[in-house]
Amino acid sequence: MQARQASPLTLSPVIGADSPTSELVEAARQVGTATLGQTFAALPEQEVDHAVGLICDPAKRIACFGGRFSQLLAEYLDLRLRVLRPGTNVHTPTPGRDAGFRVDVGRRDVCVVFDFRRYQDDTVELARP
């Protein structure tokens, strides 16, 4: 629990101010590799298969959105999906103005939501069914 709540400010520094660039690169590689490994190990294969199936289904419309810093990922996914299939769009969440989006989302729609730990409340709320 403590590890989940840790922030970059509370974590012990891996490198010091006088560390060479190669140490920074190696530390970033280790953290990135470990984090990706943990993420993929925690993903149930059936859920990944189900998500891929929904995104690939041409009968479904795809709406991508994210939080303040993760909206860029939603936009990137949308750009990549547009090369592969029709019916994709990016919703730019706007506090107090998302009611129309919620009304338009139906059974034919799949929302792909991006956000980072310490999730943004309005992004979480918009993602709720």
Side-chain angles (χ1 to χ4, degrees):
M1 184 70 164
Q2 189 176 22
R4 282 185 166 184
Q5 292 179 342
S7 77
L9 297 176
T10 62
L11 297 173
S12 302
V14 177
I15 57 165
D18 57 345
S19 296
T21 303
S22 60
E23 278 186 38
L24 174 60
V25 170
E26 179 58 22
R29 185 195 65 74
Q30 288 177 7
V31 169
T33 302
T35 303
L36 280 174
Q38 292 168 357
T39 298
F40 283 104
L43 287 173
E45 190 173 337
Q46 296 149 325
E47 288 187 27
V48 173
D49 288 344
H50 183 67
V52 169
L54 289 171
I55 290 171
C56 292
D57 184 347
K60 304 280 187 192
R61 294 184 307 183
I62 307 294
C64 302
F65 63 91
R68 184 178 315 111
F69 297 106
S70 55
Q71 180 69 14
L72 182 62
L73 296 173
E75 293 171 12
Y76 185 73
L77 177 62
D78 179 69
L79 287 172
R80 302 305 295 170
L81 288 175
R82 286 173 185 253
V83 174
L84 302 172
R85 52 154 300 149
T88 73
N89 70 76
V90 176
H91 172 68
T92 303
T94 309
R97 302 181 84 198
D98 290 325
F101 173 75
R102 284 179 170 252
V103 168
D104 288 341
V105 173
R107 293 180 156 262
R108 291 187 39 224
D109 298 299
V110 174
C111 292
V112 181
V113 183
F114 293 89
D115 208 1
F116 302 119
R117 188 177 61 164
R118 303 229 172 95
Y119 304 110
Q120 198 172 313
D121 291 339
D122 54 345
T123 303
V124 171
E125 189 58 35
L126 186 58
R128 289 184 200 270

